[in-house]
Amino acid sequence: MKLLLAEDDIKLGGLVKSLLELSGFEVEWAQDGKEAMNLIEEAAASSYDVIILDWMLPEISGIEICRLLRNPRKYNYQGGIIFLTARGGIDDCVTGLESGADDYLVKPFQNKELIARVNALGRRKGRPFMDDVFTKAGIEMNNKSGTVTAAGRELKLSRREFELFRLLFVNSGRTILRETIMDKVWADNPEISPASLDAYIYILRRKIREISDKIKIKLVKGIGYVLEIEK
């Protein structure tokens, strides 16, 4: 699991990074808000499974970063977000959660608690953070009903096909690793084979052609898949 840690306290940041790496996570550490946003731009927000934000970051605050990440017109980040902060009041907690965070951990915290919360959010990866209806390039995806429509035509998808389409659609233009797709879409079935994924992609391509010739799911050989929308 890949994490982004944004923490300006050098001592605490170093300790948290070491703790997370010893627990088996891949961690990138930003020491201010601007550096965090640069990493997000360079790596693409979707490459991080969980982002851990200090509330009071210099340059750009954790709250502002969280709001940018969750904005569907900006990054539309789908992964987990945890705030680490010394602000433990109920109003602060509400503000953090309303900005789009999934969890809120008050300093000082127990190491085991942080690890447990990161793991919990990692397991929750298949659920996107977005409104019930998500629209892009004239294609409408309804998360509540599990349907996709274009030009008044509805795409009939099974639950798994919809989850696969959703992951590729909200990250259109970005290559998604095979491992990431299987981890997110088949979180409840870790034994899914690469051949099964390819079969689902074949079915999804065939169904998509029924409603739109602008959506293409392309294989990036040896890496994964990317959904592209022609203008």
Side-chain angles (χ1 to χ4, degrees):
M1 192 184 303
K2 186 175 180 181
L3 314 179
L4 172 61
L5 169 65
E7 172 59 66
D8 66 314
D9 184 308
I10 302 300
K11 184 177 180 180
L12 177 61
L15 289 172
V16 172
K17 183 174 187 290
S18 296
L19 167 68
L20 293 168
E21 289 176 336
L22 287 171
S23 299
F25 302 113
E26 178 186 351
V27 184
E28 292 187 347
W29 176 24
Q31 297 178 17
D32 61 52
K34 186 175 181 180
E35 184 181 1
M37 292 307 301
N38 286 339
L39 286 172
I40 288 166
E41 291 282 356
E42 291 170 4
S46 60
S47 68
Y48 298 111
D49 297 289
V50 177
I51 295 177
I52 303 170
L53 295 171
D54 179 29
W55 184 300
M56 300 296 290
L57 286 170
E59 302 291 343
I60 307 173
S61 73
I63 286 286
E64 187 175 350
I65 291 173
C66 187
R67 287 172 176 155
L68 285 170
L69 286 169
R70 293 307 197 196
N71 188 330
R73 295 185 179 181
K74 294 289 185 179
Y75 300 93
N76 196 39
Y77 175 63
Q78 308 299 305
I81 297 178
I82 302 176
F83 272 119
L84 296 183
T85 178
R87 305 175 65 143
I90 186 65
D91 289 341
D92 295 320
C93 180
V94 170
T95 299
L97 296 176
E98 286 185 340
S99 72
D102 298 282
D103 211 341
Y104 192 97
L105 202 52
V106 179
K107 302 174 185 177
F109 50 85
Q110 295 294 319
N111 293 345
K112 289 183 179 179
E113 185 177 9
L114 174 60
I115 298 302
R117 296 194 185 198
V118 169
N119 277 321
L121 284 179
R123 290 192 294 269
R124 176 221 69 118
K125 289 180 287 187
R127 177 179 66 82
F129 185 101
M130 62 175 68
D131 293 334
D132 285 342
V133 177
F134 179 82
T135 304
K136 183 185 289 187
I139 301 156
E140 182 179 285
M141 180 178 66
N142 189 311
N143 287 288
K144 194 169 183 179
S145 64
T147 57
V148 177
T149 57
R153 301 180 66 186
E154 182 177 324
L155 184 62
K156 302 289 186 180
L157 300 175
S158 68
R159 180 182 65 85
R160 195 78 74 179
E161 291 164 358
F162 179 79
E163 290 176 356
L164 177 58
F165 176 84
R166 177 171 60 187
L167 175 63
L168 295 170
F169 183 57
V170 299
N171 291 286
S172 60
R174 298 172 180 167
T175 300
I176 309 296
L177 300 177
R178 279 180 170 274
E179 294 80 1
T180 300
I181 296 173
M182 291 188 286
D183 191 29
K184 289 180 180 288
V185 179
W186 283 274
D188 59 340
N189 181 16
E191 302 305 317
I192 181 73
S193 69
S196 293
L197 169 59
D198 293 337
Y200 269 94
I201 291 290
Y202 173 81
I203 294 168
L204 195 55
R205 283 171 171 158
R206 187 182 63 195
K207 289 187 175 183
I208 285 172
R209 284 197 293 269
E210 296 175 5
I211 67 164
S212 176
D213 59 358
K214 293 184 177 181
I215 308 172
K216 308 291 183 183
I217 300 177
K218 297 183 178 179
L219 170 68
V220 182
K221 192 172 182 180
I223 299 176
Y225 288 96
V226 57
L227 184 148
E228 296 181 352
I229 303 174
E230 297 177 2
K231 296 181 180 180

